[in-house]
Amino acid sequence: MDLVKALSSQYMKDELPQVEVGDTVRVHVRIQEGSRERIQTFEGTVIAKKHGGISEAITVRRVSYGVGCEKVFPLHSPHVAMIETVRKGKVRRAKLYYLRDRVGKAAKIKEKV
């Protein structure tokens, strides 16, 4: 078991941002297009956090042009360049899957003061 921990700790990032469920985050992702590399941002609400350690991931949801889009980002992936918190959310749930059924103002989350 120590061998697995030693191997996985080698690939873990040292500094992770403090991201909680309900927060609005901006995820900077490295995109490879042929020989070029660029950074693309994905801004949305964190609706779930999964696992821990090397396999820790967050699910980010945003609605653009009336269509909901969810992406799962592994936190320790080399493709995730940076995660910045835009605003903190005040929620009482660990998973916010109910936001999938909400539209407009009903899908808003109160800001933590």
Side-chain angles (χ1 to χ4, degrees):
M1 194 62 186
D2 293 332
L3 181 64
V4 174
K5 284 184 181 178
L7 191 63
S8 65
S9 67
Q10 176 182 354
Y11 295 104
M12 289 176 69
K13 292 182 180 177
D14 297 331
E15 302 258 341
L16 280 182
Q18 196 66 28
V19 177
E20 297 298 327
V21 175
D23 293 353
T24 301
V25 295
R26 190 175 293 129
V27 183
H28 298 262
V29 185
R30 289 189 183 94
I31 304 290
Q32 189 79 29
E33 294 175 335
S35 61
R36 296 183 52 206
E37 183 178 291
R38 66 184 178 87
I39 291 186
Q40 181 175 351
T41 60
F42 187 88
E43 185 173 341
T45 305
V46 178
I47 63 169
K49 279 180 74 171
K50 294 183 181 176
H51 309 298
I54 192 79
S55 62
E56 188 173 0
I58 58 171
T59 305
V60 181
R61 176 181 175 81
R62 79 166 175 203
V63 178
S64 58
Y65 300 106
V67 179
C69 178
E70 291 182 9
K71 286 189 178 183
V72 178
F73 295 103
L75 293 182
H76 295 284
S77 171
H79 292 292
V80 175
M82 180 175 66
I83 300 174
E84 57 181 297
T85 304
V86 178
R87 61 190 288 248
K88 293 282 192 183
K90 181 182 177 187
V91 293
R92 296 172 63 173
R93 300 278 179 273
K95 306 282 194 247
L96 303 180
Y97 296 142
Y98 66 90
L99 289 179
R100 294 171 177 165
D101 302 327
R102 306 279 176 98
V103 179
K105 282 189 176 180
K108 295 228 182 224
I109 295 175
K110 292 181 183 177
E111 189 168 2
K112 191 184 286 185
V113 181

